[in-house]
Amino acid sequence: MEAKLQLVILAAGHGTRMYPFSDAIPKSLMLVGGKPVIRWIVDRWAPHVDDIIICINDDDFDSFNHEFRDVRKIDFSCNDKPLGTAGEIANAKDFLDNEGFILHYGDIITNIDVGNFKYYHTMRYLDDYCKHEDKYMGTLVLIKERLENSIVKVYTNTIYSFEEKPTSDNYGWGAIAAFAPRIFEYIEYGKDFGKDIFPKIISDGKTLGAYLSDSKWYNTGDVKNWEIADKAAREGRI
């Protein structure tokens, strides 16, 4: 577990909540503080991973390839139809090794302590290995924000409930996770992590760790939140 993990960024989809801007540019390439959203992600994580896989739409390849012409460690997993968030990983499997990977949604900007998060994931993985349990599937970054994507219930840093919900004051998944290789037992085309994969893992009695983060967190997936993130970046708060 000393080896660095791979990073997979989900940057496909049509960005309907960013209309009309997304008609001209992929939402992950929208500028926040003068820099594309996805560059905020790559610049933070690149020093900590061996390589990066970005899941994109076929039609967006030229735009992303041009943006990252100066970064050698990036590969692109392309698709021509919606696959679901877990389906994007299934489509990218040929790029992934057997050491597990980190998942990062392509519309999230955060100043998370990457090294500390990786260390926490590694310790949970090693603890499971030493106990010969084979139950640990990964760790989710949780934040205490008003979110629209999930309610997560935690006990002793382990997730015991994950449910898609409307806006809530509870812990929510921050759209970042680190997975053990055995996560592929659950990965399927057409499936979504929040709606399908995480609830299934928990119902099967497997373990998802909870990394509680107080980092700054910005969702740029719609126009209103993109404007908030852009303002924060221009004011030096990211």
Side-chain angles (χ1 to χ4, degrees), residues 1-5 48 99-102 114-130 136-140 177-182 209 211:
M1 289 297 296
E2 292 294 331
K4 292 181 179 179
L5 297 173
H48 301 274
E99 297 298 325
F101 63 93
I102 293 171
V114 175
N116 191 56
F117 172 56
K118 284 180 55 184
Y119 177 79
Y120 181 87
H121 164 64
T122 299
M123 291 301 100
R124 293 295 296 258
Y125 194 1
L126 288 177
D127 182 60
D128 183 74
Y129 177 80
C130 291
Y136 174 74
M137 306 300 292
T139 290
L140 277 57
F179 293 120
R182 61 180 69 100
Y211 181 85

Side-chain angles (χ1 to χ4, degrees), residues 34-48:
K35 182 165 72 171
V37 172
I38 200 163
R39 287 303 298 234
W40 286 94
I41 301 170
V42 169
D43 291 349
R44 174 162 292 275
W45 288 86
H48 301 274

Side-chain angles (χ1 to χ4, degrees), residues 93-231:
K93 189 173 182 179
D94 289 345
F95 294 101
L96 298 170
D97 57 27
N98 294 318
E99 297 298 325
F101 63 93
I102 293 171
L103 173 73
H104 198 304
Y105 280 33
D107 53 7
I108 301 301
I109 297 177
T110 176
N111 65 346
I112 187 174
D113 185 332
V114 175
N116 191 56
F117 172 56
K118 284 180 55 184
Y119 177 79
Y120 181 87
H121 164 64
T122 299
M123 291 301 100
R124 293 295 296 258
Y125 194 1
L126 288 177
D127 182 60
D128 183 74
Y129 177 80
C130 291
K131 292 177 180 177
H132 306 288
E133 291 185 341
D134 292 333
K135 293 177 64 178
Y136 174 74
M137 306 300 292
T139 290
L140 277 57
V141 175
L142 305 185
I143 59 175
K144 198 68 178 289
E145 294 271 355
R146 291 191 64 83
L147 299 174
E148 298 178 357
N149 59 346
S150 60
I151 287 178
V152 181
K153 295 182 180 178
V154 181
Y155 180 71
T156 60
N157 285 341
T158 297
I159 296 170
Y160 69 90
S161 175
F162 191 106
E163 186 176 358
E164 292 285 291
K165 287 288 185 179
T167 302
S168 167
D169 286 321
N170 293 279
Y171 280 111
W173 180 38
I176 302 172
F179 293 120
R182 61 180 69 100
I183 190 66
F184 279 101
E185 298 170 15
Y186 290 86
I187 298 297
E188 297 181 46
Y189 284 101
K191 299 294 184 180
D192 178 78
F193 280 105
K195 182 180 178 181
D196 306 302
I197 307 303
F198 297 150
K200 175 63 174 172
I201 287 173
I202 294 168
S203 69
D204 285 351
K206 304 294 186 179
T207 300
L208 285 173
Y211 181 85
L212 308 182
S213 175
D214 60 359
S215 61
K216 295 178 181 178
W217 189 93
Y218 297 92
N219 177 1
T220 67
D222 60 58
V223 175
K224 179 180 178 181
N225 285 309
W226 166 73
E227 290 175 341
I228 292 172
D230 185 59
K231 183 174 186 292

